[in-house]
Amino acid sequence: MAADEATEQLIEIQALHQQAAVETMHAQDKADLHVKRTTKRKADPEDGQRAEEVVQTLRQAIEKYKDPRVALNKGFRPFLPNAPQPYYHYTKKLNRFKAPLTFDPAQPTSLLYRRTDSGFELIGAMYMASKDSSERELHALVPLSVAQWHAHVNVCIPPKGTTDWARFGVKGSIATEKDCKKAGGQFVPQLFGWMLPVFPFEDAPEKIWAQ
């Protein structure tokens, strides 16, 4: 594959990832072919406190980024800032690199902003974890009785020049390797790692951990 083609494909995959992350937070269909979620657990006595500690740490850590210029100065970069989106991801490459290796509630992979008439409003952040993480390991990071991590799975990347998003991508009808190969696409069992959006400025747990 030529270098320019590889770059174009990477951009396509990143666009799919962005689309998936945004749409998952608004998804109503819990049986999505391309979204895998952790199983809701019965609460342990310490789960509420553990979750609240994550929220408090995150809220304090990202308060300074309410001004997007501060986020830019600290290395966060917006993804597709000119494309209409419900939420805009400002991602820091270093945090994304470290995410599969260690979990630091004060260092989310991405900041989440909503566009307003006056600019951008900080509403939350996104954590990532290794795609190889077990539910037990994810539960150790944030209790699964409170939050649900999600991953984007069974994705068929379209062949170059194809824009048939009804069949390909994170909302496409193709969800098996066999069908993807038949259509000339590239099958990806899981796009990137596990993801968890958190909205620490909300006033109720169901909103803070909204999916």
Side-chain angles (χ1 to χ4, degrees):
M1 180 181 295
D4 58 336
E5 291 180 339
T7 300
E8 289 177 4
Q9 187 173 63
L10 176 59
I11 292 173
E12 288 179 348
I13 292 175
Q14 289 175 329
L16 286 172
H17 174 228
Q18 176 71 13
Q19 175 189 352
V22 169
E23 291 181 352
T24 296
M25 285 185 282
H26 296 273
Q28 299 299 319
D29 181 8
K30 298 301 182 182
D32 194 310
L33 292 173
H34 303 290
V35 178
K36 176 172 64 174
R37 295 177 176 83
T38 52
T39 304
K40 194 80 169 179
R41 288 195 176 196
K42 182 178 179 180
D44 292 327
E46 69 275 11
D47 283 1
Q49 180 61 32
R50 285 208 298 128
E52 181 59 25
E53 289 174 357
V54 171
V55 172
Q56 290 182 7
T57 299
L58 178 62
R59 184 188 300 123
Q60 294 172 5
I62 68 174
E63 180 81 23
K64 57 182 174 289
Y65 299 128
K66 286 188 173 181
D67 184 343
R69 293 172 297 183
V70 177
L72 290 172
N73 288 337
K74 290 296 184 179
F76 287 91
R77 294 292 178 263
F79 187 82
L80 299 177
N82 297 320
Q85 303 172 54
Y87 303 136
Y88 292 80
H89 287 56
Y90 279 54
T91 300
K92 188 170 184 176
K93 288 184 178 180
L94 178 59
N95 290 4
R96 183 173 178 178
F97 174 78
K98 293 190 299 184
L101 307 175
T102 183
F103 178 72
D104 184 347
Q107 295 189 34
T109 302
S110 301
L111 302 172
L112 304 177
Y113 290 88
R114 178 166 48 213
R115 187 185 292 275
T116 67
D117 292 338
S118 58
F120 287 92
E121 175 191 7
L122 178 67
I123 58 173
M126 178 80 76
Y127 292 121
M128 291 188 70
S130 170
K131 66 171 60 176
D132 298 322
S133 298
S134 66
E135 290 205 359
R136 181 178 180 180
E137 290 169 328
L138 294 172
H139 176 69
L141 305 181
V142 181
L144 299 187
S145 61
V146 176
Q148 276 189 299
W149 293 77
H150 67 267
H152 304 293
V153 298
N154 303 326
V155 178
C156 187
I157 305 297
K160 184 175 174 61
T162 299
T163 57
D164 183 4
W165 298 114
R167 299 174 63 209
F168 296 97
V170 297
K171 289 296 178 182
S173 60
I174 299 176
T176 67
E177 184 173 11
K178 179 180 178 180
D179 289 343
C180 185
K181 286 184 176 180
K182 185 177 180 180
Q186 176 189 349
F187 187 74
V188 181
Q190 181 171 333
L191 273 179
F192 302 97
W194 288 92
M195 290 174 277
L196 178 66
V198 186
F199 305 94
F201 303 113
E202 294 290 350
D203 57 5
E206 61 271 19
K207 295 180 180 179
I208 292 172
W209 304 103
Q211 287 288 319

